[in-house]
């Protein structure tokens, strides 16, 4: 009876690539009384492992919260593994707006005290007395009511790149921080205004709506299925999307495009940008927003200090980060003093376009003239093959540089290349581009074209 992963992320990626089967990224949650979370966890792992389901799931006495990647051909079989439990019969599965076969590369099912860290004592109020659920059109209608206050119950790095028009967006690192802040700020209007709330998939609002009703808020509403289900309904019914920008997600994509609006800015130069990255320095790994130009100049780092660190020999880097516990610190980008172009806002201020200030001088790692053309998406160990996501065109016999904190700097000339599975002489930015390499590369390594 297998209760753990036997393949590494790299091996799993190689297997997915070889099979070529399309996968669906989805999420779901359910509150219920689970008597034996550990047995429930083990049963789920065994059932899902047989279906090649991957993802991250938390189970607790209060229910289940899951983000998954499932082979499209096994979608209905996966649903059946859920509906064998009475509390998940007819459960809504929120299918992602943008699909990626590599969104998750391991199956993780963990037993937790709670399925969402809300910091609440559930014994002090009725958690089943929830707000009124609204579909997309109903949400839009209530949003247009001048007597409505709409609140984003996600964290600052989520709302920074996308949110509903006119929403209050708390400048907080965690969900638990937002609850008392919003309660105190809206205390004077709790009996007269419509309190309209939303989050990514709906789970945070399930508990938050009951919390606010317990504290005397009379008219409490929540977006059914969150931003993910809202977007599906908007597309299906031809509605106007009142959500603008990107929806932040917690898999390797770090975001899915909802509208073409870019409401955020690069944290290093101030230019319009909503691309989240993690600092290339493994001892930092800070989550922040970085444009392509700064990614090239700073080699994916958040600061000059981190830039200097990744130039050290690998063994020295390992020594420097030994014993360091990053944990959720990676999400505290709003507190980083190294990132100069972040908008500190009062949660009740209207969010306006960010003005671009004069760019401070940033240090480059080397004098080699190069252009960022893509990033490594996967490395297939046994075959020695690198799959690269291109942002610019490339052709045979050009020189490239693959660079990363553990890879170092590796130069090579393209003497043979494969595009969309076939040998070719050139590749476009939208193609699936693979090359054979005689050295190990890592996911998110930068790939540059060397120019004379």
């Amino acid at each position: 009876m297998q209760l753990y992963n036997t393949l590494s992320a790299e091996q799993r990626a190689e297997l997915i690539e070889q099979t070529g089967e399309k996968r669906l990224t989805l999420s779901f949650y359910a509150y219920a009384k689970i008597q034996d979370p550990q047995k429930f966890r083990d049963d789920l792992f065994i059932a899902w492992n047989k279906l090649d389901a991957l993802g991250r799931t938390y189970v607790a006495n209060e229910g289940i919260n899951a983000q998954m990647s499932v082979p499209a051909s096994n979608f209905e079989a996966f649903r059946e593994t859920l509906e064998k439990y009475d509390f998940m019969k007819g459960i809504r599965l929120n299918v992602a707006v943008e699909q990626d076969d590599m969104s998750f590369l391991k199956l993780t099912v963990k037993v937790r005290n709670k399925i969402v860290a809300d910091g609440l004592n559930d014994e002090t109020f009725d958690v089943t007395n929830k707000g009124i659920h609204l579909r997309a059109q109903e949400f839009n209608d209530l949003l247009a009511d001048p007597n409505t206050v709409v609140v984003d119950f996600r964290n600052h790095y989520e709302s920074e790149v996308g949110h509903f028009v006119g929403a209050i967006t708390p400048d907080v690192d965690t969900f638990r921080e937002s609850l008392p802040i919003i309660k105190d700020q809206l205390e004077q209007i709790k009996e007269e205004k419509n309190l309209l709330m939303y989050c990514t998939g709906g789970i945070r609002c399930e508990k938050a709506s009951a919390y606010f009703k317990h504290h005397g808020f009379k008219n409490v509403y929540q977006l059914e299925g969150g931003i993910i289900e809202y977007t599906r309904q908007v597309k299906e019914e031809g509605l106007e999307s009142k959500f603008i920008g990107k929806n932040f997600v917690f898999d390797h994509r770090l975001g899915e495009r909802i509208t073409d609006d870019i409401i955020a800015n690069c944290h290093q130069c101030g230019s319009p940008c909503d691309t989240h990255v993690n600092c290339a320095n493994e001892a930092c790994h800070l989550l922040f927003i970085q444009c392509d130009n700064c990614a090239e100049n700073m080699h994916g780092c958040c600061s000059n200090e981190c830039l200097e660190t990744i130039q050290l020999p690998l063994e020295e880097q390992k020594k420097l980060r030994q014993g360091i516990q990053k944990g959720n610190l990676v999400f505290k980008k709003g507190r980083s003093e190294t990132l100069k172009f972040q908008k500190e806002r009062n949660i009740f201020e209207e969010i306006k376009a960010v003005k671009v200030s004069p760019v401070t001088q940033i240090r480059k790692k080397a004098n080699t003239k190069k252009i960022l053309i893509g990033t490594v998406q996967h490395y297939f160990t046994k075959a020695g093959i690198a799959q690269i996501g291109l942002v610019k065109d490339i052709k045979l016999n050009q020189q490239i540089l693959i660079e990363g904190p553990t890879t170092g700097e590796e130069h090579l000339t393209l003497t043979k290349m494969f595009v969309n599975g076939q040998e070719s002489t050139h590749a476009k930015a939208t193609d699936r581009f693979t090359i054979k390499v005689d050295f190990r590369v890592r996911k998110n390594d930068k790939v540059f074209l060397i120019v004379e």
Side-chain angles (χ1 to χ4, degrees):
M1 182 171 61
Q2 184 183 332
L3 296 173
Y4 57 88
N5 289 278
T6 57
L7 297 178
S8 67
E10 290 87 353
Q11 290 171 323
R12 180 68 69 176
E14 182 177 356
L15 187 61
I16 291 173
E17 180 71 14
Q18 288 174 348
T19 60
E21 185 174 14
K22 292 297 180 184
R23 301 179 68 89
L24 297 175
T25 301
L26 54 91
S27 61
F28 62 92
Y29 69 88
Y31 280 99
K33 294 292 184 182
I34 298 176
Q35 298 299 323
D36 190 345
Q38 185 61 53
K39 184 179 185 305
F40 180 55
R41 176 266 172 205
D42 292 347
D43 290 344
L44 289 179
F45 192 100
I46 293 168
W48 291 351
N49 190 58
K50 292 177 182 177
L51 298 176
D52 193 27
L54 307 171
R56 180 176 56 245
T57 298
Y58 300 135
V59 299
N61 288 115
E62 67 174 1
I64 182 171
N65 179 19
Q67 295 84 43
M68 303 292 296
S69 170
V70 180
S73 60
N74 288 342
F75 180 74
E76 290 304 326
F78 179 80
R79 183 189 292 277
E80 289 175 7
T81 68
L82 306 179
E83 296 198 345
K84 66 175 289 187
Y85 300 95
D86 289 341
F87 72 91
M88 286 195 284
K89 288 188 182 300
I91 190 170
R92 180 183 58 249
L93 302 180
N94 290 324
V95 179
V97 176
E98 297 177 348
Q99 294 301 326
D100 188 323
D101 294 341
M102 306 288 182
S103 57
F104 291 101
L105 295 175
K106 288 190 176 182
L107 175 58
T108 303
V109 186
K110 293 184 177 180
V111 176
R112 290 280 183 90
N113 291 328
K114 286 196 169 190
I115 56 176
V116 175
D118 52 36
L120 299 175
N121 181 357
D122 296 352
E123 302 301 322
T124 61
F125 66 102
D126 183 1
V127 296
T128 66
N129 184 24
K130 298 175 290 190
I132 298 172
H133 288 64
L134 300 178
R135 292 179 56 82
Q137 183 61 69
E138 297 170 319
F139 190 89
N140 283 357
D141 293 342
L142 197 58
L143 194 63
D145 188 335
N147 198 46
T148 294
V149 175
V150 59
V151 180
D152 191 324
F153 277 91
R154 301 172 303 152
N155 305 326
H156 67 101
Y157 48 87
E158 299 174 84
S159 61
E160 184 174 13
V161 295
H163 55 76
F164 277 96
V165 176
I168 294 171
T169 55
D171 190 17
V172 295
D173 294 324
T174 63
F175 171 52
R176 70 172 67 191
E177 292 177 60
S178 65
L179 295 172
I181 291 175
I182 295 299
K183 182 179 74 69
D184 292 343
Q185 293 287 349
L186 300 182
E187 184 69 26
Q188 301 304 314
I189 59 171
K190 66 182 183 182
E191 295 189 8
E192 56 190 74
K193 295 284 188 181
N194 300 317
L195 176 58
L196 186 57
M197 56 179 65
Y198 69 90
C199 56
T200 305
I203 187 170
R204 282 176 270 194
C205 293
E206 288 290 288
K207 192 71 69 72
S209 64
Y211 171 83
F212 280 91
K213 290 187 73 173
H214 172 71
H215 283 282
F217 286 76
K218 300 299 183 184
N219 308 305
V220 180
Y221 302 86
Q222 62 192 89
L223 179 58
E224 182 180 17
I227 299 163
I228 299 174
E229 175 63 14
Y230 174 88
T231 303
R232 188 193 68 78
Q233 291 178 21
V234 163
K235 290 181 177 180
E236 189 177 86
E237 299 172 22
L239 307 176
E240 178 186 1
S241 177
K242 297 296 184 179
F243 184 95
I244 56 174
K246 267 185 176 180
N247 178 31
F248 185 93
V249 293
F250 286 90
D251 57 57
H252 85 90
R253 295 172 298 159
L254 294 179
E256 46 188 16
R257 175 69 57 193
I258 306 300
T259 70
D260 292 333
D261 303 276
I262 297 179
I263 65 172
N265 60 280
C266 174
H267 289 160
Q268 291 178 313
C269 74
S271 61
C273 179
D274 57 7
T275 302
H276 272 109
V277 299
N278 288 106
C279 179
N281 176 14
E282 288 295 318
C284 174
H285 209 55
L286 185 75
L287 181 76
F288 68 107
I289 296 174
Q290 187 179 55
C291 68
D292 288 344
N293 286 336
C294 288
E296 179 183 350
N297 289 337
M298 295 297 288
H299 294 258
C301 292
C302 70
S303 66
N304 284 325
E305 181 182 2
C306 286
L307 181 56
E308 291 168 356
T309 298
I310 68 169
Q311 297 178 70
L312 297 173
L314 179 57
E315 290 307 313
E316 284 192 44
Q317 292 185 47
K318 288 182 178 179
K319 287 180 181 178
L320 286 175
R321 63 176 182 260
Q322 198 168 23
I324 295 177
Q325 297 295 324
K326 296 191 298 290
N328 287 333
L329 291 178
V330 298
F331 296 118
K332 293 186 178 293
K333 64 178 177 60
R335 318 297 176 240
S336 173
E337 296 179 357
T338 64
L339 301 171
K340 304 301 182 185
F341 290 85
Q342 296 175 85
K343 181 176 173 59
E344 293 184 3
R345 64 181 184 271
N346 180 288
I347 63 172
F348 290 93
E349 288 179 352
E350 179 185 357
I351 296 180
K352 300 176 182 177
V354 177
K355 293 182 179 180
V356 179
S357 304
V359 180
T360 54
Q361 186 63 36
I362 55 181
R363 195 179 314 170
K364 292 190 178 183
K365 182 178 178 183
N367 293 323
T368 305
K369 292 184 179 180
K370 57 189 184 295
I371 300 172
L372 181 69
I373 60 169
T375 57
V376 174
Q377 292 182 332
H378 309 293
Y379 175 65
F380 306 114
T381 309
K382 294 181 180 179
I385 298 292
Q387 181 178 320
I388 298 168
L390 291 174
V391 295
K392 293 184 183 296
D393 296 356
I394 194 170
K395 59 185 179 181
L396 207 62
N397 297 320
Q398 288 185 314
Q399 285 190 319
I400 64 172
L401 166 67
I402 302 181
E403 182 180 276
T406 56
T407 303
E409 294 185 353
E410 296 286 353
H411 293 77
L412 58 92
T413 300
L414 295 175
T415 57
K416 194 173 185 179
M417 53 194 278
F418 292 84
V419 178
N420 301 324
Q422 301 295 321
E423 189 171 351
S424 181
T425 59
H426 63 280
K428 302 190 297 297
T430 56
D431 289 332
R432 190 179 66 192
F433 172 61
T434 56
I435 56 174
K436 190 170 182 62
V437 292
D438 57 4
F439 51 88
R440 184 182 180 87
V441 295
R442 299 296 196 282
K443 183 180 175 184
N444 294 327
D445 281 357
K446 304 295 182 183
V447 183
F448 300 92
L449 174 66
I450 304 299
V451 294
E452 299 298 331

